[in-house]
Protein backbone atom coordinates (compact mmCIF):
# COMPACT_ATOMS: atom_id res chain seq x y z
CA UNK A 1 0.00 0.00 0.00
CA UNK A 2 1.30 3.46 -0.89
CA UNK A 3 0.13 6.98 -1.59
CA UNK A 4 -0.53 7.55 -5.27
CA UNK A 5 1.05 10.34 -7.33
CA UNK A 6 -0.69 13.34 -8.81
CA UNK A 7 0.56 15.80 -11.45
CA UNK A 8 0.19 19.38 -10.30
CA UNK A 9 0.58 20.60 -13.90
CA UNK A 10 -2.91 19.16 -14.44
CA UNK A 11 -4.36 21.38 -11.73
CA UNK A 12 -5.54 24.93 -12.00
CA UNK A 13 -4.64 27.27 -9.17
CA UNK A 14 -7.95 26.90 -7.37
CA UNK A 15 -7.97 23.11 -7.73
CA UNK A 16 -4.34 22.91 -6.60
CA UNK A 17 -5.10 24.89 -3.46
CA UNK A 18 -8.26 22.91 -2.72
CA UNK A 19 -6.32 19.66 -3.03
CA UNK A 20 -3.79 20.86 -0.50
CA UNK A 21 -6.58 22.09 1.77
CA UNK A 22 -8.12 18.64 1.83
CA UNK A 23 -4.69 17.10 2.45
CA UNK A 24 -3.98 19.55 5.29
CA UNK A 25 -7.35 18.84 6.91
CA UNK A 26 -6.80 15.09 6.62
CA UNK A 27 -3.39 15.32 8.31
CA UNK A 28 -4.86 17.48 11.08
CA UNK A 29 -7.63 14.94 11.61
CA UNK A 30 -5.27 11.95 11.57
CA UNK A 31 -2.60 13.67 13.66
CA UNK A 32 0.77 14.68 12.23
CA UNK A 33 2.59 13.18 15.22
CA UNK A 34 0.69 9.92 14.92
CA UNK A 35 1.76 9.75 11.29
CA UNK A 36 5.33 10.63 12.33
CA UNK A 37 5.43 13.66 10.03
CA UNK A 38 5.27 16.37 12.71
CA UNK A 39 8.42 18.19 11.64
CA UNK A 40 7.56 18.04 7.94
CA UNK A 41 4.01 19.23 8.56
CA UNK A 42 5.30 22.21 10.52
CA UNK A 43 7.27 23.20 7.41
CA UNK A 44 4.23 22.58 5.23
CA UNK A 45 1.79 24.94 6.99
CA UNK A 46 3.62 28.28 6.34
CA UNK A 47 3.97 27.37 2.67
CA UNK A 48 0.27 26.52 2.49
CA UNK A 49 -0.55 29.92 4.00
CA UNK A 50 1.74 31.61 1.46
CA UNK A 51 -0.12 30.01 -1.44
CA UNK A 52 -3.43 31.05 0.15
CA UNK A 53 -2.36 34.70 0.40
CA UNK A 54 -0.95 34.83 -3.14
CA UNK A 55 -4.07 33.20 -4.60
CA UNK A 56 -6.36 35.67 -2.85
CA UNK A 57 -4.33 38.59 -4.21
CA UNK A 58 -4.57 37.24 -7.76
CA UNK A 59 -8.30 36.65 -7.51
CA UNK A 60 -8.78 40.18 -6.23
CA UNK A 61 -6.52 41.80 -8.85
CA UNK A 62 -7.41 39.84 -11.96
CA UNK A 63 -10.74 38.10 -11.59
CA UNK A 64 -12.77 41.23 -11.02
CA UNK A 65 -16.51 41.27 -11.49
CA UNK A 66 -16.03 43.37 -14.62
CA UNK A 67 -13.76 40.77 -16.21
CA UNK A 68 -16.06 37.92 -15.28
CA UNK A 69 -19.01 39.69 -16.90
CA UNK A 70 -16.99 40.28 -20.07
CA UNK A 71 -16.06 36.59 -20.14
CA UNK A 72 -19.71 35.61 -19.69
CA UNK A 73 -20.71 37.87 -22.60
CA UNK A 74 -18.06 36.24 -24.78
CA UNK A 75 -19.21 32.75 -23.76
CA UNK A 76 -22.79 33.56 -24.76
CA UNK A 77 -21.72 34.39 -28.31
CA UNK A 78 -19.60 31.26 -28.56
CA UNK A 79 -22.54 29.15 -27.41
CA UNK A 80 -24.75 30.91 -29.95
CA UNK A 81 -22.34 30.09 -32.78
CA UNK A 82 -22.24 26.42 -31.77
CA UNK A 83 -26.03 26.26 -31.57
CA UNK A 84 -26.49 28.00 -34.92
CA UNK A 85 -24.12 25.58 -36.59
CA UNK A 86 -25.81 22.60 -34.92
CA UNK A 87 -29.13 23.72 -36.40
CA UNK A 88 -27.50 24.11 -39.82
CA UNK A 89 -26.44 20.46 -39.70
CA UNK A 90 -30.15 19.67 -40.17
CA UNK A 91 -30.79 22.34 -42.81
CA UNK A 92 -32.85 21.38 -45.85
CA UNK A 93 -30.06 22.64 -48.13
CA UNK A 94 -27.31 20.06 -48.79
CA UNK A 95 -24.83 22.90 -49.32
CA UNK A 96 -25.61 24.35 -45.90
CA UNK A 97 -25.38 20.95 -44.23
CA UNK A 98 -21.97 20.29 -45.76
CA UNK A 99 -20.68 23.72 -44.73
CA UNK A 100 -21.94 23.10 -41.19
CA UNK A 101 -20.18 19.72 -41.11
CA UNK A 102 -16.87 21.32 -42.03
CA UNK A 103 -17.31 24.00 -39.37
CA UNK A 104 -18.20 21.37 -36.77
CA UNK A 105 -14.84 19.71 -37.39
CA UNK A 106 -13.15 23.03 -36.61
CA UNK A 107 -15.22 23.54 -33.46
CA UNK A 108 -14.58 19.98 -32.27
CA UNK A 109 -10.85 20.43 -32.83
CA UNK A 110 -10.76 23.38 -30.45
CA UNK A 111 -13.21 21.82 -28.00
CA UNK A 112 -15.36 23.85 -25.64
CA UNK A 113 -13.19 26.94 -25.39
CA UNK A 114 -15.60 28.47 -22.86
CA UNK A 115 -14.26 25.96 -20.31
CA UNK A 116 -10.64 26.99 -20.72
CA UNK A 117 -8.84 29.29 -18.26
CA UNK A 118 -9.49 32.92 -19.17
CA UNK A 119 -6.18 33.72 -20.86
CA UNK A 120 -6.17 30.42 -22.74
CA UNK A 121 -9.73 31.09 -23.87
CA UNK A 122 -8.72 34.48 -25.27
CA UNK A 123 -5.89 32.88 -27.23
CA UNK A 124 -8.04 29.97 -28.45
CA UNK A 125 -10.79 32.36 -29.53
CA UNK A 126 -8.26 34.43 -31.47
CA UNK A 127 -7.00 31.29 -33.22
CA UNK A 128 -10.44 30.01 -34.14
CA UNK A 129 -11.41 33.46 -35.44
CA UNK A 130 -8.45 33.29 -37.80
CA UNK A 131 -9.86 30.03 -39.13
CA UNK A 132 -13.41 31.37 -39.46
CA UNK A 133 -12.27 34.59 -41.14
CA UNK A 134 -9.79 32.81 -43.36
CA UNK A 135 -10.01 29.27 -44.69
CA UNK A 136 -13.64 28.78 -43.62
CA UNK A 137 -15.03 32.22 -44.43
CA UNK A 138 -17.14 30.71 -47.23
CA UNK A 139 -18.69 28.13 -44.91
CA UNK A 140 -19.39 30.85 -42.34
CA UNK A 141 -21.30 32.77 -45.01
CA UNK A 142 -23.27 29.72 -46.15
CA UNK A 143 -24.29 28.82 -42.60
CA UNK A 144 -25.13 32.49 -41.96
CA UNK A 145 -23.09 33.19 -38.84
CA UNK A 146 -21.01 36.10 -40.12
CA UNK A 147 -22.49 38.56 -37.62
CA UNK A 148 -21.99 36.09 -34.77
CA UNK A 149 -18.34 35.70 -35.72
CA UNK A 150 -17.88 39.48 -35.91
CA UNK A 151 -19.47 39.85 -32.48
CA UNK A 152 -17.28 37.13 -31.02
CA UNK A 153 -14.23 38.98 -32.30
CA UNK A 154 -15.43 42.26 -30.80
CA UNK A 155 -16.13 40.70 -27.41
CA UNK A 156 -12.86 38.80 -27.35
CA UNK A 157 -10.95 42.00 -28.09
CA UNK A 158 -12.91 43.84 -25.40
CA UNK A 159 -12.09 41.13 -22.89
CA UNK A 160 -8.41 41.21 -23.79
CA UNK A 161 -8.25 44.99 -23.39
CA UNK A 162 -9.93 44.78 -20.00
CA UNK A 163 -7.49 42.16 -18.74
CA UNK A 164 -4.53 44.27 -19.88
CA UNK A 165 -5.97 47.23 -18.00
CA UNK A 166 -6.53 45.31 -14.77
CA UNK A 167 -3.54 42.99 -14.85
CA UNK A 168 -0.99 45.53 -13.61
CA UNK A 169 2.61 44.97 -12.64
CA UNK A 170 1.80 44.14 -9.02
CA UNK A 171 -0.62 41.40 -10.08
CA UNK A 172 2.01 39.95 -12.39
CA UNK A 173 4.51 39.85 -9.53
CA UNK A 174 1.92 38.14 -7.34
CA UNK A 175 1.36 35.53 -10.03
CA UNK A 176 5.08 34.77 -10.09
CA UNK A 177 5.07 34.48 -6.30
CA UNK A 178 2.18 32.03 -6.51
CA UNK A 179 4.04 29.79 -8.96
CA UNK A 180 7.07 29.70 -6.69
CA UNK A 181 4.91 29.07 -3.65
CA UNK A 182 3.12 26.22 -5.40
CA UNK A 183 6.41 24.53 -6.24
CA UNK A 184 7.70 24.87 -2.68
CA UNK A 185 4.44 23.56 -1.21
CA UNK A 186 4.46 20.62 -3.60
CA UNK A 187 8.05 19.89 -2.61
CA UNK A 188 7.21 19.53 1.07
CA UNK A 189 4.13 17.49 0.19
CA UNK A 190 6.35 15.09 -1.77
CA UNK A 191 8.66 14.78 1.23
CA UNK A 192 5.70 13.88 3.44
CA UNK A 193 4.38 11.33 0.94
CA UNK A 194 7.81 9.72 0.55
CA UNK A 195 8.23 9.51 4.31
CA UNK A 196 4.86 7.86 4.88
CA UNK A 197 5.41 5.41 2.03
CA UNK A 198 8.80 4.53 3.53
CA UNK A 199 7.30 4.09 7.00
CA UNK A 200 4.75 1.66 5.56
CA UNK A 201 7.59 -0.48 4.23
CA UNK A 202 9.50 -0.37 7.53
CA UNK A 203 6.64 -0.57 10.04
CA UNK A 204 3.80 -2.10 8.06
CA UNK A 205 0.59 -0.50 6.78
CA UNK A 206 -1.63 -0.90 9.83
CA UNK A 207 -0.99 2.52 11.38
CA UNK A 208 -1.24 4.34 8.07
CA UNK A 209 -3.87 2.39 6.12
CA UNK A 210 -6.87 4.62 6.92
CA UNK A 211 -4.92 7.78 6.11
CA UNK A 212 -3.52 6.41 2.85
CA UNK A 213 -6.88 5.11 1.65
CA UNK A 214 -8.55 8.46 2.30
CA UNK A 215 -5.72 10.44 0.71
CA UNK A 216 -5.78 8.24 -2.38
CA UNK A 217 -9.49 8.99 -2.77
CA UNK A 218 -8.61 12.70 -2.70
CA UNK A 219 -5.76 12.18 -5.18
CA UNK A 220 -8.09 10.33 -7.53
CA UNK A 221 -10.67 13.14 -7.31
CA UNK A 222 -8.10 15.67 -8.51
CA UNK A 223 -6.59 13.46 -11.20
CA UNK A 224 -7.96 14.49 -14.63
CA UNK A 225 -10.02 11.85 -16.37
CA UNK A 226 -9.01 10.70 -19.84
CA UNK A 227 -11.09 10.49 -22.97
CA UNK A 228 -10.36 8.96 -26.34
CA UNK A 229 -9.90 11.18 -29.35
CA UNK A 230 -9.95 10.09 -32.97
CA UNK A 231 -7.21 7.54 -33.56
CA UNK A 232 -7.35 6.28 -30.00
CA UNK A 233 -5.10 9.03 -28.61
CA UNK A 234 -5.89 10.00 -25.02
CA UNK A 235 -6.29 13.59 -23.93
CA UNK A 236 -6.98 15.13 -20.57
CA UNK A 237 -10.34 16.77 -20.02
CA UNK A 238 -8.88 19.33 -17.63
CA UNK A 239 -6.63 22.02 -19.07
CA UNK A 240 -2.99 22.10 -17.98
CA UNK A 241 -1.45 24.76 -15.76
CA UNK A 242 2.05 26.02 -16.48
CA UNK A 243 3.50 24.69 -13.21
CA UNK A 244 5.13 21.37 -14.03
CA UNK A 245 5.53 19.02 -11.10
CA UNK A 246 4.52 15.54 -10.07
CA UNK A 247 3.54 15.38 -6.43
Amino acid sequence: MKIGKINSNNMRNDSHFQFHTEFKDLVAKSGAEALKIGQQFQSYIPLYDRVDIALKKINKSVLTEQIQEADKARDEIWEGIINMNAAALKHFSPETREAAKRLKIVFDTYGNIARKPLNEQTSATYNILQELEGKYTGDVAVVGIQQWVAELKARNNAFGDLVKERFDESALKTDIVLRDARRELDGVYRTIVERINALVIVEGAAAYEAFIRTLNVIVKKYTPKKRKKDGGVEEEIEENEEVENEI
Side-chain angles (χ1 to χ4, degrees), residues 93-147:
S93 167
E95 181 185 7
T96 301
R97 289 198 302 271
E98 290 303 314
K101 287 180 183 178
R102 288 189 290 271
L103 290 178
K104 186 177 186 302
I105 293 174
V106 178
F107 298 147
D108 289 347
T109 298
Y110 282 87
N112 186 358
I113 61 175
R115 292 183 57 190
K116 293 182 179 294
L118 296 182
N119 288 337
E120 290 183 25
Q121 183 178 345
T122 301
S123 176
T125 301
Y126 173 79
N127 290 336
I128 202 170
L129 282 168
Q130 287 188 310
E131 299 263 28
L132 298 178
E133 294 179 330
K135 180 179 179 180
Y136 296 93
T137 183
D139 292 331
V140 167
V142 171
V143 173
I145 56 173
Q146 306 99 310
Q147 290 183 323

Side-chain angles (χ1 to χ4, degrees), residues 18-143:
Q18 186 58 35
F19 168 77
H20 279 284
T21 298
E22 294 190 35
F23 168 74
K24 176 181 69 70
D25 292 346
L26 178 60
V27 172
K29 180 180 178 181
S30 302
E33 295 301 330
L35 295 169
K36 299 183 179 179
I37 56 170
Q39 182 178 351
Q40 292 78 14
F41 195 59
Q42 285 182 359
S43 300
Y44 175 91
I45 293 300
L47 296 175
Y48 171 87
D49 292 338
R50 186 181 178 213
V51 170
D52 186 19
I53 293 171
L55 186 59
K56 286 176 180 176
K57 285 183 178 179
I58 286 180
N59 287 339
K60 183 177 180 180
S61 299
V62 182
L63 300 181
T64 62
E65 181 178 355
Q66 198 172 5
I67 288 176
Q68 292 180 28
E69 288 300 319
D71 178 55
K72 182 180 178 181
R74 177 175 60 179
D75 291 346
E76 289 174 349
I77 296 300
W78 172 251
E79 182 179 356
I81 289 174
I82 297 300
N83 290 338
M84 289 281 289
N85 195 68
L89 290 170
K90 301 178 181 179
H91 200 277
F92 60 83
S93 167
E95 181 185 7
T96 301
R97 289 198 302 271
E98 290 303 314
K101 287 180 183 178
R102 288 189 290 271
L103 290 178
K104 186 177 186 302
I105 293 174
V106 178
F107 298 147
D108 289 347
T109 298
Y110 282 87
N112 186 358
I113 61 175
R115 292 183 57 190
K116 293 182 179 294
L118 296 182
N119 288 337
E120 290 183 25
Q121 183 178 345
T122 301
S123 176
T125 301
Y126 173 79
N127 290 336
I128 202 170
L129 282 168
Q130 287 188 310
E131 299 263 28
L132 298 178
E133 294 179 330
K135 180 179 179 180
Y136 296 93
T137 183
D139 292 331
V140 167
V142 171
V143 173

Side-chain angles (χ1 to χ4, degrees), residues 7 21 33 39 48 55 62 79 108 114 142 144 152 154 156 175 184-185 208-209 223 227 230 236 241:
N7 286 324
T21 298
E33 295 301 330
Q39 182 178 351
Y48 171 87
L55 186 59
V62 182
E79 182 179 356
D108 289 347
V142 171
L152 178 63
N156 195 52
D175 185 50
E184 292 175 6
L185 183 64
Y208 308 96
E209 182 174 1
T223 299
R227 63 185 173 194
D230 293 341
E236 292 171 352
E241 275 289 327

Side-chain angles (χ1 to χ4, degrees), residues 231-247:
V233 178
E234 286 188 340
E235 71 170 359
E236 292 171 352
I237 294 176
E238 292 279 344
E239 292 80 13
N240 288 345
E241 275 289 327
E242 287 135 350
V243 182
E244 296 180 355
N245 256 326
E246 186 172 60
I247 59 177

Side-chain angles (χ1 to χ4, degrees), residues 207-227:
Y208 308 96
E209 182 174 1
F211 175 83
I212 292 175
R213 288 189 185 277
T214 303
L215 180 53
N216 279 341
V217 170
I218 296 172
V219 167
K220 184 176 180 180
K221 181 169 69 171
Y222 288 93
T223 299
K225 297 178 181 179
K226 304 281 188 176
R227 63 185 173 194

